[in-house]
Amino acid sequence: MTAQVLAGAPAAAALLSRAAARARTLPRPPGLAIVRLGDDPASVSYVRGKDRKAREVGLQSTVYALPEETSQAELLALIAELNAAYDVDGILVQLPLPPHIDEAAVLRAVDPSKDVDGFHPVNVGELWSGRPGLLPCTPAGVMVLLEHYGIPVAGRRAVVVGRSAIVGRPMAALLLAADATVTLAHRRTPDLGAVTREAEVLVVAAGRPHLVTPEMVRPGAAVVDVGINRVLDAAGVSRLTGDVHPDVAGVAGALTPVPGGVGPMTIAALLANTVTAAERRLGLSGPR
Ligand code: ADP
């Protein structure tokens, strides 16, 4: 068997066009403020990508590129200003922040109604209590991807590998909200393969290249690879590879590629969140 390829591009394009259509019905364009500190090349490039896509979808996007040495107080003052700004609906603080900044304190300072990354403890709490507010982008993107390809979740066994605050934990909460029976596995899980073999839907977000090998996968399972690892190939060329071994394609029923699977979904989910935040703030929440 060769797994169906769950490419992110078509699912992301569909989500973005729905978000753009919703944005057009609002009295003003949804506003997104993107804050970054310093010149980390990965952050600069992620921010550029988010800003460009935001404009394509019809959002009003502004990038606040602050120097690396910006103090915590200065950063908090900017966030307070953005919290108070009428035409800012979404605030995104690009992580990681430099070591002199208390990341958790910064994330707590963002108004939960503008927290389009879904990282504020209020949004985390609402997600786990089954009354979702703004959803973390990567797991929300994974749910849209599964839906796009008609992969059922309700009533099925789902296993998530990795319990990070950004991916694994919220992923488990969303699968649970979608009526899956969920297991959350992690570094200390003994016999990981025995656990992952139970999965009809397997989501891997451990940051370990090729952690999941074919014998760890139930035949026919839908496998979502959230890992993006930079590794050197045999010729010494730097390549992106996932947490799932490519040979899993011979066992799984469906598999996301890396790159080009979950990656495109994350930005699309962020922009859809920004439209949702604008609808709510303008008192016009329509269908998702
Ligand atoms: P991400 O940002 O993709 O969520 P993190 O590096 O923040 O990744 O988190 C890695 C998560 O993956 C941790 O929760 C850790 O417990 C889990 N993990 C790492 N290595 C393994 C492993 N060998 N087996 C199972 N889980 C693992």
Side-chain angles (χ1 to χ4, degrees), residues 161-164 166-168 185-188 192 205-208 211 226:
V161 180
R163 59 178 162 182
S164 72
I166 294 175
V167 185
H186 49 80
R187 208 183 293 281
R188 304 291 301 274
L192 184 62
R208 293 280 176 279
L211 171 68
V226 184

Side-chain angles (χ1 to χ4, degrees), residues 69-282:
E69 59 277 8
T70 302
S71 71
Q72 169 131 341
E74 286 166 326
L75 179 56
L76 291 176
L78 172 62
I79 288 172
E81 206 179 289
L82 296 171
N83 281 342
Y86 166 72
D87 54 358
V88 173
D89 301 295
I91 301 171
L92 181 156
V93 181
Q94 182 66 42
L95 303 179
L97 291 167
H100 66 278
I101 305 272
D102 176 354
E103 216 162 76
V106 171
L107 297 181
R108 265 198 309 276
V110 173
D111 185 317
S113 73
K114 300 190 177 189
D115 168 39
V116 286
D117 262 336
F119 293 161
H120 191 287
V122 165
N123 285 321
V124 176
E126 293 202 327
L127 173 58
W128 278 103
S129 58
R131 291 177 282 105
L134 292 168
L135 303 177
C137 302
T138 298
V142 170
M143 296 307 288
V144 174
L145 187 71
L146 292 172
E147 202 178 288
H148 181 87
Y149 286 100
I151 293 170
V153 170
R156 301 181 91 200
R157 292 293 303 259
V159 174
V160 179
V161 180
R163 59 178 162 182
S164 72
I166 294 175
V167 185
R169 287 173 200 240
M171 187 75 248
L174 284 178
L175 288 164
L176 184 61
D179 294 327
T181 300
V182 182
T183 301
L184 189 45
H186 49 80
R187 208 183 293 281
R188 304 291 301 274
T189 301
D191 196 356
L192 184 62
V195 175
T196 55
R197 268 194 301 278
E198 302 242 304
E200 299 172 281
V201 177
L202 176 61
V203 182
V204 189
R208 293 280 176 279
H210 300 178
L211 171 68
V212 171
T213 48
E215 69 281 4
M216 295 168 71
V217 174
R218 175 181 179 133
V223 180
V224 176
D225 187 353
V226 184
I228 302 180
N229 308 290
R230 203 164 266 294
V231 294
L232 295 181
D233 69 10
V237 179
S238 166
R239 293 181 173 283
L240 291 182
T241 190
D243 290 357
V244 175
H245 194 285
D247 289 351
V248 166
V251 179
L255 175 63
T256 61
V258 176
V262 174
M265 301 309 298
T266 299
I267 291 190
L270 165 75
L271 302 180
N273 260 354
T274 306
V275 177
T276 301
E279 288 168 343
R280 290 182 184 168
R281 294 190 58 249
L282 294 164

